[in-house]
Amino acid sequence: MAAPQPFAGERRDTMADKATIVLFSHVSNTRSITGAEKLLLFFSRELSPYFNCILVAPQDGKLTQLARSYGLQVRLMSIPLVYGVYTPYAGLPADIRKLQEGREYHELTHWLAELRPSFVITSTCVHALPPIAAKSLGIPVIWKISETITDNEFTPISVELIHNNSDEILAISQTAAACFPEEIRDSKVTQLPPSWSDADLMFEAWSKLRGERRSELKIAPGDPLIGYVSSFINKEKGLEHFVKMAVLVHEQHPAARYLVVGTPGDKSYYERCVRKVKLEGLTSRFRFVGYEECLPAAYCAMDLLVVPSLIREGFGMTALEGYAFSKPVVAYDSGGLREILDAAGCGELLVPAGDMDALAGRVNALLADQAMAAGIGRQARERIEAVYGPAAYRVRLQGLAERWHLRYCLQPPQLIGGPEAPPAAAPAGGKSAPAAQPTGARPGAAPHGCGPRSCGAAGCAAPSPGAARRERARAVRSARQAPRAGGPAAAARSAARARPEAAGASGGVRHPEQPARFLRAGHNQRGVNP
């Protein structure tokens, strides 16, 4: 995996030279790893060249195991989740105050007070206690929002909670940011859509993976394979709709086969779907494989992907993954899925959520001309890479990393020999991140990276608190005055013009699961869920 482009200047090699930040994951599943966990893990890895990252998770699981293997520091800490931020209700503020009286909250606050990180990043709206604790200590907060908060009469409660307990908001998409009023979006919301890791895609092995996996599944070379993928399968993910679609498709294309990938989140629902397949006489046409250790092999085996999500997805990482593997995608028009399919030039393959007849119709059209379908997948891959690919992701992230250094760590890191970074544009509707600027080492700068508060270390030549405040204010004004970008495509065009060789760089991620899926099997966190 290619390393992020460094800032120009002096090299800093030791962890002590980096500002320490803390990233909070709301889950750490033991049976599989969800999109939310993948998203935060990759984000942490990409930030680690710029910051000393500490990942906090509720328990040991696949997330923490992978984090340690990548050299990230891990701390286990039980922190109650606040599900009511996703589904707001009148008593939410009172319930949060009760949680603040609990042992877990006091332990969290005490740990943060001792550590004093430069800033914290919390993942998903339901992980509300870490930002509240950090703000109570004067520690800056970046709140990552990757889901669509339920729109009801109490939504302003959640919006105000997030606004009051964050310095910046990172939204995965326009859909995820839509709950915030325009003044909040303008002042503190930045869009950072996910990407993928080219190394994890195993591109060179695609042909081999396809042949081997189809052989294991007993899929004949000429039989089209239609895929369904979900980390945890429950009603909101639309597996039953996929099964009913298959019944309709079978009438016109009896040779079609169907692959269902994912761990049952709702076992009774999952078993009902399996029974439906049996009752329709399609057992021989279906393969239910559960958790897939080698997801690239599953995608390579498919000929097209269906995403029948029944909820307003914050983004729709499964669709992005399908395009990354050059597969045509048919999907329900649910939330952020439209943003992805429109960017791929495949908006005509979206159908109204719940319309199984239309879903089957789009699939039948692709199966009727499989050469055309394969061409759609290849073209979509090119468009998606330009908009959401690793190069565009790194441009955005580098701009954010410098902005956070200027705002919260006073001075950006100085790394030797790297080229100047191109301007980092934000997705449509979000703020653009400031471009990274080469910065020479300031004579007399504090070697231990102290911030605007006086550290009191012997020989520290850090600027006075007043000078530090002025420098931070200047950085904030600069960031807020940055022009809006024309969307993800603009960011990608900027990346391609400035650093075309970065096209092979890696990024990668997936969005958090939605309400019923915030609490997973094996994750017994306490929390507020009215």
Side-chain angles (χ1 to χ4, degrees), residues 65-121:
Q65 293 164 12
L66 286 170
R68 292 188 184 102
S69 74
Y70 295 135
L72 295 172
Q73 297 182 66
V74 172
R75 183 179 178 89
L76 303 182
M77 187 176 297
S78 176
I79 304 171
L81 302 178
V82 188
Y83 300 100
V85 181
Y86 179 84
T87 52
Y89 59 100
L92 177 60
D95 285 341
I96 290 176
R97 286 193 293 272
K98 290 180 183 177
L99 289 175
Q100 289 179 272
E101 298 171 359
R103 174 182 56 81
E104 294 98 333
Y105 180 81
H106 288 295
E107 290 177 352
L108 167 66
T109 304
H110 178 73
W111 179 70
L112 286 173
E114 286 191 336
L115 183 67
R116 297 303 302 183
S118 293
F119 59 94
V120 304
I121 299 174

Short mmCIF file of all heavy atoms in Angstrom, two decimals, residues 65-121:
data_model
loop_
_atom_site.label_atom_id
_atom_site.label_comp_id
_atom_site.label_asym_id
_atom_site.label_seq_id
_atom_site.Cartn_x
_atom_site.Cartn_y
_atom_site.Cartn_z
N GLN A 65 -7.63 -6.50 16.52
CA GLN A 65 -6.56 -7.38 16.05
C GLN A 65 -5.89 -6.81 14.82
O GLN A 65 -4.66 -6.78 14.71
CB GLN A 65 -7.13 -8.77 15.76
CG GLN A 65 -7.63 -9.53 16.99
CD GLN A 65 -8.52 -10.70 16.65
OE1 GLN A 65 -8.61 -11.12 15.48
NE2 GLN A 65 -9.21 -11.24 17.64
N LEU A 66 -6.69 -6.34 13.87
CA LEU A 66 -6.12 -5.74 12.66
C LEU A 66 -5.38 -4.45 12.99
O LEU A 66 -4.31 -4.18 12.43
CB LEU A 66 -7.24 -5.47 11.64
CG LEU A 66 -7.81 -6.69 10.93
CD1 LEU A 66 -9.06 -6.33 10.16
CD2 LEU A 66 -6.77 -7.31 10.01
N ALA A 67 -5.94 -3.65 13.89
CA ALA A 67 -5.29 -2.39 14.25
C ALA A 67 -3.90 -2.64 14.81
O ALA A 67 -2.93 -1.96 14.43
CB ALA A 67 -6.15 -1.63 15.26
N ARG A 68 -3.76 -3.60 15.69
CA ARG A 68 -2.45 -3.91 16.26
C ARG A 68 -1.50 -4.42 15.18
O ARG A 68 -0.31 -4.09 15.18
CB ARG A 68 -2.58 -4.95 17.37
CG ARG A 68 -3.30 -4.43 18.63
CD ARG A 68 -3.24 -5.45 19.75
NE ARG A 68 -4.00 -5.02 20.91
CZ ARG A 68 -5.21 -5.48 21.22
NH1 ARG A 68 -5.79 -6.38 20.42
NH2 ARG A 68 -5.86 -5.04 22.29
N SER A 69 -2.03 -5.22 14.24
CA SER A 69 -1.16 -5.75 13.18
C SER A 69 -0.63 -4.63 12.29
O SER A 69 0.41 -4.78 11.66
CB SER A 69 -1.92 -6.77 12.33
OG SER A 69 -2.87 -6.15 11.48
N TYR A 70 -1.34 -3.51 12.22
CA TYR A 70 -0.90 -2.36 11.43
C TYR A 70 -0.07 -1.38 12.25
O TYR A 70 0.28 -0.30 11.77
CB TYR A 70 -2.11 -1.63 10.83
CG TYR A 70 -2.88 -2.44 9.82
CD1 TYR A 70 -4.27 -2.49 9.86
CD2 TYR A 70 -2.23 -3.18 8.84
CE1 TYR A 70 -4.99 -3.24 8.94
CE2 TYR A 70 -2.94 -3.92 7.92
CZ TYR A 70 -4.32 -3.95 7.97
OH TYR A 70 -5.03 -4.69 7.05
N GLY A 71 0.22 -1.73 13.49
CA GLY A 71 1.06 -0.89 14.32
C GLY A 71 0.34 0.22 15.05
O GLY A 71 0.99 1.13 15.60
N LEU A 72 -0.99 0.17 15.10
CA LEU A 72 -1.75 1.19 15.82
C LEU A 72 -1.85 0.83 17.30
O LEU A 72 -1.96 -0.34 17.67
CB LEU A 72 -3.16 1.32 15.24
CG LEU A 72 -3.26 1.82 13.79
CD1 LEU A 72 -4.69 1.69 13.30
CD2 LEU A 72 -2.79 3.26 13.69
N GLN A 73 -1.80 1.85 18.15
CA GLN A 73 -2.03 1.63 19.58
C GLN A 73 -3.51 1.39 19.81
O GLN A 73 -4.37 2.03 19.19
CB GLN A 73 -1.58 2.85 20.38
CG GLN A 73 -0.10 3.15 20.28
CD GLN A 73 0.26 4.34 21.15
OE1 GLN A 73 0.17 4.29 22.37
NE2 GLN A 73 0.67 5.42 20.51
N VAL A 74 -3.83 0.48 20.72
CA VAL A 74 -5.22 0.12 21.01
C VAL A 74 -5.46 0.21 22.51
O VAL A 74 -4.61 -0.21 23.31
CB VAL A 74 -5.55 -1.30 20.51
CG1 VAL A 74 -6.94 -1.73 20.98
CG2 VAL A 74 -5.46 -1.36 18.99
N ARG A 75 -6.61 0.76 22.88
CA ARG A 75 -7.02 0.74 24.29
C ARG A 75 -8.46 0.25 24.34
O ARG A 75 -9.31 0.70 23.56
CB ARG A 75 -6.92 2.14 24.91
CG ARG A 75 -7.29 2.13 26.40
CD ARG A 75 -7.18 3.49 27.03
NE ARG A 75 -7.56 3.47 28.43
CZ ARG A 75 -6.76 3.22 29.45
NH1 ARG A 75 -5.48 2.96 29.22
NH2 ARG A 75 -7.20 3.23 30.69
N LEU A 76 -8.72 -0.68 25.26
CA LEU A 76 -10.07 -1.20 25.43
C LEU A 76 -10.76 -0.43 26.55
O LEU A 76 -10.21 -0.24 27.63
CB LEU A 76 -10.03 -2.69 25.78
CG LEU A 76 -9.32 -3.59 24.77
CD1 LEU A 76 -9.39 -5.05 25.21
CD2 LEU A 76 -9.91 -3.42 23.38
N MET A 77 -11.98 0.03 26.25
CA MET A 77 -12.70 0.84 27.22
C MET A 77 -14.20 0.68 26.96
O MET A 77 -14.67 0.92 25.84
CB MET A 77 -12.28 2.31 27.09
CG MET A 77 -12.85 3.21 28.17
SD MET A 77 -12.21 4.92 28.01
CE MET A 77 -10.46 4.65 28.28
N SER A 78 -14.94 0.28 27.96
CA SER A 78 -16.39 0.12 27.83
C SER A 78 -17.06 1.48 27.99
O SER A 78 -16.96 2.12 29.05
CB SER A 78 -16.91 -0.85 28.90
OG SER A 78 -18.31 -0.95 28.84
N ILE A 79 -17.72 1.92 26.93
CA ILE A 79 -18.39 3.23 26.93
C ILE A 79 -19.81 3.02 26.42
O ILE A 79 -20.01 2.54 25.30
CB ILE A 79 -17.66 4.24 26.03
CG1 ILE A 79 -16.19 4.38 26.44
CG2 ILE A 79 -18.36 5.59 26.05
CD1 ILE A 79 -15.35 5.18 25.46
N PRO A 80 -20.84 3.34 27.22
CA PRO A 80 -22.23 3.16 26.76
C PRO A 80 -22.50 3.96 25.49
O PRO A 80 -22.01 5.08 25.32
CB PRO A 80 -23.06 3.69 27.93
CG PRO A 80 -22.16 3.59 29.12
CD PRO A 80 -20.78 3.85 28.60
N LEU A 81 -23.26 3.36 24.59
CA LEU A 81 -23.69 4.04 23.37
C LEU A 81 -25.04 4.70 23.60
O LEU A 81 -25.84 4.27 24.42
CB LEU A 81 -23.78 3.03 22.22
CG LEU A 81 -22.50 2.26 21.90
CD1 LEU A 81 -22.74 1.27 20.77
CD2 LEU A 81 -21.36 3.21 21.55
N VAL A 82 -25.29 5.75 22.84
CA VAL A 82 -26.53 6.52 22.99
C VAL A 82 -27.32 6.38 21.69
O VAL A 82 -27.23 7.22 20.80
CB VAL A 82 -26.24 7.99 23.32
CG1 VAL A 82 -27.53 8.72 23.67
CG2 VAL A 82 -25.24 8.10 24.48
N TYR A 83 -28.10 5.31 21.58
CA TYR A 83 -28.81 5.03 20.34
C TYR A 83 -29.84 6.11 20.00
O TYR A 83 -30.22 6.27 18.83
CB TYR A 83 -29.49 3.67 20.43
CG TYR A 83 -28.52 2.54 20.66
CD1 TYR A 83 -28.35 2.02 21.94
CD2 TYR A 83 -27.76 2.04 19.61
CE1 TYR A 83 -27.44 0.99 22.16
CE2 TYR A 83 -26.86 1.01 19.83
CZ TYR A 83 -26.70 0.50 21.09
OH TYR A 83 -25.79 -0.51 21.31
N GLY A 84 -30.28 6.83 21.03
CA GLY A 84 -31.27 7.87 20.80
C GLY A 84 -30.77 9.04 19.97
O GLY A 84 -31.57 9.82 19.48
N VAL A 85 -29.45 9.16 19.79
CA VAL A 85 -28.96 10.21 18.89
C VAL A 85 -29.33 9.86 17.45
O VAL A 85 -29.57 10.75 16.63
CB VAL A 85 -27.44 10.39 19.03
CG1 VAL A 85 -26.93 11.51 18.12
CG2 VAL A 85 -27.07 10.71 20.48
N TYR A 86 -29.40 8.58 17.15
CA TYR A 86 -29.82 8.16 15.81
C TYR A 86 -31.33 8.24 15.65
O TYR A 86 -31.84 8.65 14.60
CB TYR A 86 -29.35 6.72 15.53
CG TYR A 86 -29.78 6.25 14.17
CD1 TYR A 86 -29.03 6.55 13.04
CD2 TYR A 86 -30.96 5.52 14.01
CE1 TYR A 86 -29.45 6.14 11.78
CE2 TYR A 86 -31.38 5.11 12.76
CZ TYR A 86 -30.62 5.42 11.65
OH TYR A 86 -31.05 5.03 10.42
N THR A 87 -32.06 7.83 16.69
CA THR A 87 -33.53 7.93 16.67
C THR A 87 -33.94 8.86 17.81
O THR A 87 -34.27 8.41 18.91
CB THR A 87 -34.16 6.54 16.86
OG1 THR A 87 -33.60 5.92 18.03
CG2 THR A 87 -33.90 5.65 15.66
N PRO A 88 -33.91 10.16 17.58
CA PRO A 88 -34.11 11.15 18.66
C PRO A 88 -35.48 11.04 19.32
O PRO A 88 -36.47 10.65 18.68
CB PRO A 88 -33.95 12.49 17.93
CG PRO A 88 -33.25 12.18 16.64
CD PRO A 88 -33.68 10.80 16.28
N TYR A 89 -35.52 11.38 20.60
CA TYR A 89 -36.75 11.40 21.36
C TYR A 89 -36.65 12.48 22.42
O TYR A 89 -35.56 13.00 22.71
CB TYR A 89 -37.01 10.03 22.00
CG TYR A 89 -35.91 9.56 22.94
CD1 TYR A 89 -36.04 9.69 24.32
CD2 TYR A 89 -34.75 9.00 22.43
CE1 TYR A 89 -35.04 9.25 25.18
CE2 TYR A 89 -33.74 8.57 23.27
CZ TYR A 89 -33.88 8.70 24.63
OH TYR A 89 -32.88 8.28 25.47
N ALA A 90 -37.78 12.82 23.04
CA ALA A 90 -37.84 13.98 23.94
C ALA A 90 -36.93 13.83 25.14
O ALA A 90 -36.33 14.80 25.61
CB ALA A 90 -39.29 14.21 24.39
N GLY A 91 -36.82 12.63 25.69
CA GLY A 91 -36.04 12.43 26.91
C GLY A 91 -34.56 12.20 26.70
O GLY A 91 -33.84 11.85 27.66
N LEU A 92 -34.07 12.40 25.48
CA LEU A 92 -32.66 12.12 25.20
C LEU A 92 -31.70 12.92 26.07
O LEU A 92 -30.77 12.34 26.65
CB LEU A 92 -32.38 12.36 23.71
CG LEU A 92 -30.94 12.19 23.25
CD1 LEU A 92 -30.44 10.77 23.51
CD2 LEU A 92 -30.82 12.52 21.75
N PRO A 93 -31.85 14.24 26.21
CA PRO A 93 -30.90 14.99 27.04
C PRO A 93 -30.85 14.48 28.49
O PRO A 93 -29.76 14.37 29.07
CB PRO A 93 -31.42 16.43 26.97
CG PRO A 93 -32.18 16.49 25.68
CD PRO A 93 -32.81 15.15 25.55
N ALA A 94 -32.01 14.15 29.05
CA ALA A 94 -32.04 13.67 30.44
C ALA A 94 -31.33 12.32 30.56
O ALA A 94 -30.60 12.07 31.53
CB ALA A 94 -33.48 13.55 30.92
N ASP A 95 -31.52 11.46 29.57
CA ASP A 95 -30.87 10.15 29.62
C ASP A 95 -29.35 10.28 29.48
O ASP A 95 -28.59 9.51 30.09
CB ASP A 95 -31.42 9.25 28.52
CG ASP A 95 -32.81 8.72 28.85
OD1 ASP A 95 -33.18 8.75 30.04
OD2 ASP A 95 -33.52 8.30 27.92
N ILE A 96 -28.91 11.24 28.68
CA ILE A 96 -27.46 11.45 28.55
C ILE A 96 -26.89 11.95 29.88
O ILE A 96 -25.80 11.53 30.30
CB ILE A 96 -27.17 12.44 27.41
CG1 ILE A 96 -27.47 11.77 26.07
CG2 ILE A 96 -25.71 12.90 27.45
CD1 ILE A 96 -27.29 12.68 24.87
N ARG A 97 -27.62 12.82 30.55
CA ARG A 97 -27.14 13.31 31.85
C ARG A 97 -27.00 12.15 32.85
O ARG A 97 -26.06 12.13 33.65
CB ARG A 97 -28.09 14.38 32.40
CG ARG A 97 -27.97 15.73 31.68
CD ARG A 97 -28.67 16.83 32.44
NE ARG A 97 -30.12 16.65 32.45
CZ ARG A 97 -30.95 17.11 31.52
NH1 ARG A 97 -30.46 17.79 30.47
NH2 ARG A 97 -32.25 16.93 31.60
N LYS A 98 -27.90 11.18 32.78
CA LYS A 98 -27.78 10.01 33.66
C LYS A 98 -26.53 9.21 33.34
O LYS A 98 -25.83 8.74 34.24
CB LYS A 98 -29.03 9.12 33.51
CG LYS A 98 -30.31 9.72 34.09
CD LYS A 98 -31.47 8.78 33.89
CE LYS A 98 -32.78 9.39 34.40
NZ LYS A 98 -33.95 8.51 34.14
N LEU A 99 -26.25 9.05 32.04
CA LEU A 99 -25.05 8.33 31.65
C LEU A 99 -23.79 9.05 32.11
O LEU A 99 -22.78 8.41 32.43
CB LEU A 99 -25.01 8.14 30.14
CG LEU A 99 -26.00 7.15 29.54
CD1 LEU A 99 -25.92 7.15 28.02
CD2 LEU A 99 -25.76 5.74 30.08
N GLN A 100 -23.84 10.37 32.18
CA GLN A 100 -22.68 11.14 32.63
C GLN A 100 -22.41 10.96 34.13
O GLN A 100 -21.34 11.31 34.60
CB GLN A 100 -22.89 12.63 32.33
CG GLN A 100 -22.80 12.96 30.85
CD GLN A 100 -23.04 14.43 30.57
OE1 GLN A 100 -24.17 14.87 30.39
NE2 GLN A 100 -21.96 15.20 30.56
N GLU A 101 -23.38 10.41 34.83
CA GLU A 101 -23.18 10.13 36.25
C GLU A 101 -22.59 8.74 36.48
O GLU A 101 -22.24 8.39 37.60
CB GLU A 101 -24.52 10.23 36.99
CG GLU A 101 -25.14 11.63 36.93
CD GLU A 101 -26.56 11.65 37.48
OE1 GLU A 101 -27.05 10.56 37.89
OE2 GLU A 101 -27.19 12.72 37.48
N GLY A 102 -22.45 7.95 35.42
CA GLY A 102 -22.01 6.58 35.56
C GLY A 102 -20.50 6.42 35.65
O GLY A 102 -19.72 7.33 35.32
N ARG A 103 -20.08 5.25 36.10
CA ARG A 103 -18.66 4.96 36.29
C ARG A 103 -17.90 5.04 34.98
O ARG A 103 -16.79 5.57 34.94
CB ARG A 103 -18.52 3.56 36.90
CG ARG A 103 -17.07 3.07 37.01
CD ARG A 103 -17.01 1.66 37.58
NE ARG A 103 -17.80 0.73 36.80
CZ ARG A 103 -17.37 0.16 35.66
NH1 ARG A 103 -16.15 0.44 35.20
NH2 ARG A 103 -18.14 -0.70 35.00
N GLU A 104 -18.47 4.49 33.89
CA GLU A 104 -17.75 4.47 32.61
C GLU A 104 -17.42 5.88 32.13
O GLU A 104 -16.33 6.14 31.62
CB GLU A 104 -18.56 3.74 31.55
CG GLU A 104 -18.75 2.26 31.82
CD GLU A 104 -20.10 2.00 32.46
OE1 GLU A 104 -20.62 2.91 33.14
OE2 GLU A 104 -20.62 0.87 32.30
N TYR A 105 -18.38 6.78 32.29
CA TYR A 105 -18.15 8.16 31.83
C TYR A 105 -17.05 8.82 32.65
O TYR A 105 -16.18 9.51 32.10
CB TYR A 105 -19.43 8.98 31.91
CG TYR A 105 -19.26 10.42 31.46
CD1 TYR A 105 -19.25 10.75 30.11
CD2 TYR A 105 -19.08 11.44 32.39
CE1 TYR A 105 -19.08 12.06 29.68
CE2 TYR A 105 -18.91 12.76 31.97
CZ TYR A 105 -18.91 13.06 30.62
OH TYR A 105 -18.73 14.36 30.22
N HIS A 106 -17.04 8.60 33.96
CA HIS A 106 -16.02 9.21 34.81
C HIS A 106 -14.64 8.62 34.51
O HIS A 106 -13.64 9.35 34.50
CB HIS A 106 -16.38 9.03 36.28
CG HIS A 106 -17.53 9.89 36.72
ND1 HIS A 106 -17.47 11.26 36.74
CD2 HIS A 106 -18.79 9.56 37.14
CE1 HIS A 106 -18.63 11.76 37.16
NE2 HIS A 106 -19.45 10.75 37.41
N GLU A 107 -14.57 7.33 34.24
CA GLU A 107 -13.29 6.73 33.87
C GLU A 107 -12.79 7.27 32.54
O GLU A 107 -11.59 7.54 32.37
CB GLU A 107 -13.44 5.20 33.79
CG GLU A 107 -13.64 4.54 35.15
CD GLU A 107 -13.86 3.04 35.04
OE1 GLU A 107 -14.01 2.55 33.88
OE2 GLU A 107 -13.89 2.36 36.08
N LEU A 108 -13.70 7.44 31.59
CA LEU A 108 -13.34 8.03 30.30
C LEU A 108 -12.81 9.44 30.47
O LEU A 108 -11.76 9.81 29.91
CB LEU A 108 -14.57 8.03 29.38
CG LEU A 108 -14.49 8.87 28.11
CD1 LEU A 108 -13.43 8.31 27.16
CD2 LEU A 108 -15.86 8.92 27.43
N THR A 109 -13.51 10.25 31.24
CA THR A 109 -13.10 11.64 31.45
C THR A 109 -11.74 11.72 32.15
O THR A 109 -10.88 12.52 31.77
CB THR A 109 -14.17 12.39 32.27
OG1 THR A 109 -15.43 12.28 31.61
CG2 THR A 109 -13.80 13.86 32.41
N HIS A 110 -11.54 10.86 33.14
CA HIS A 110 -10.27 10.85 33.86
C HIS A 110 -9.12 10.47 32.93
O HIS A 110 -8.05 11.09 32.96
CB HIS A 110 -10.35 9.86 35.04
CG HIS A 110 -9.08 9.75 35.82
ND1 HIS A 110 -8.63 10.75 36.67
CD2 HIS A 110 -8.15 8.76 35.88
CE1 HIS A 110 -7.48 10.38 37.22
NE2 HIS A 110 -7.16 9.18 36.74
N TRP A 111 -9.35 9.46 32.07
CA TRP A 111 -8.29 9.04 31.14
C TRP A 111 -7.95 10.14 30.16
O TRP A 111 -6.78 10.42 29.90
CB TRP A 111 -8.74 7.77 30.41
CG TRP A 111 -7.73 7.28 29.42
CD1 TRP A 111 -6.52 6.72 29.69
CD2 TRP A 111 -7.84 7.31 27.99
NE1 TRP A 111 -5.86 6.40 28.53
CE2 TRP A 111 -6.64 6.75 27.47
CE3 TRP A 111 -8.82 7.75 27.11
CZ2 TRP A 111 -6.43 6.62 26.10
CZ3 TRP A 111 -8.60 7.61 25.75
CH2 TRP A 111 -7.41 7.07 25.26
N LEU A 112 -8.96 10.79 29.60
CA LEU A 112 -8.71 11.89 28.66
C LEU A 112 -8.00 13.05 29.34
O LEU A 112 -7.12 13.70 28.75
CB LEU A 112 -10.02 12.36 28.04
CG LEU A 112 -10.66 11.45 26.99
CD1 LEU A 112 -12.03 11.98 26.59
CD2 LEU A 112 -9.76 11.34 25.77
N ALA A 113 -8.36 13.32 30.60
CA ALA A 113 -7.72 14.42 31.33
C ALA A 113 -6.23 14.13 31.54
O ALA A 113 -5.40 15.05 31.48
CB ALA A 113 -8.42 14.63 32.66
N GLU A 114 -5.89 12.88 31.79
CA GLU A 114 -4.48 12.52 31.97
C GLU A 114 -3.72 12.53 30.64
O GLU A 114 -2.59 12.98 30.55
CB GLU A 114 -4.37 11.14 32.62
CG GLU A 114 -4.71 11.12 34.10
CD GLU A 114 -4.33 9.79 34.74
OE1 GLU A 114 -4.25 8.77 34.00
OE2 GLU A 114 -4.12 9.76 35.95
N LEU A 115 -4.36 12.02 29.58
CA LEU A 115 -3.70 11.91 28.28
C LEU A 115 -3.56 13.25 27.59
O LEU A 115 -2.52 13.55 26.99
CB LEU A 115 -4.47 10.93 27.39
CG LEU A 115 -3.87 10.65 26.02
CD1 LEU A 115 -2.54 9.90 26.16
CD2 LEU A 115 -4.85 9.84 25.17
N ARG A 116 -4.60 14.09 27.66
CA ARG A 116 -4.63 15.40 27.00
C ARG A 116 -4.24 15.28 25.53
O ARG A 116 -3.27 15.88 25.05
CB ARG A 116 -3.70 16.39 27.69
CG ARG A 116 -4.04 16.73 29.13
CD ARG A 116 -5.42 17.28 29.34
NE ARG A 116 -5.69 18.49 28.57
CZ ARG A 116 -6.84 19.19 28.65
NH1 ARG A 116 -7.79 18.76 29.45
NH2 ARG A 116 -7.01 20.26 27.93
N PRO A 117 -5.00 14.52 24.71
CA PRO A 117 -4.70 14.45 23.28
C PRO A 117 -4.94 15.79 22.61
O PRO A 117 -5.68 16.63 23.13
CB PRO A 117 -5.68 13.39 22.77
CG PRO A 117 -6.83 13.46 23.72
CD PRO A 117 -6.21 13.75 25.06
N SER A 118 -4.31 15.99 21.46
CA SER A 118 -4.52 17.25 20.73
C SER A 118 -5.96 17.38 20.26
O SER A 118 -6.51 18.49 20.25
CB SER A 118 -3.58 17.32 19.53
OG SER A 118 -2.24 17.42 19.95
N PHE A 119 -6.57 16.29 19.88
CA PHE A 119 -8.00 16.28 19.57
C PHE A 119 -8.46 14.83 19.54
O PHE A 119 -7.64 13.90 19.53
CB PHE A 119 -8.34 16.99 18.25
CG PHE A 119 -7.67 16.45 17.02
CD1 PHE A 119 -8.30 15.50 16.21
CD2 PHE A 119 -6.41 16.90 16.64
CE1 PHE A 119 -7.69 15.03 15.07
CE2 PHE A 119 -5.80 16.43 15.49
CZ PHE A 119 -6.44 15.49 14.70
N VAL A 120 -9.79 14.63 19.55
CA VAL A 120 -10.35 13.30 19.47
C VAL A 120 -11.28 13.22 18.27
O VAL A 120 -11.84 14.23 17.82
CB VAL A 120 -11.12 12.90 20.76
CG1 VAL A 120 -10.24 13.02 21.98
CG2 VAL A 120 -12.39 13.71 20.91
N ILE A 121 -11.44 12.00 17.76
CA ILE A 121 -12.36 11.74 16.66
C ILE A 121 -13.29 10.63 17.11
O ILE A 121 -12.84 9.56 17.54
CB ILE A 121 -11.62 11.31 15.38
CG1 ILE A 121 -10.67 12.42 14.92
CG2 ILE A 121 -12.60 10.96 14.27
CD1 ILE A 121 -9.78 12.03 13.75
#
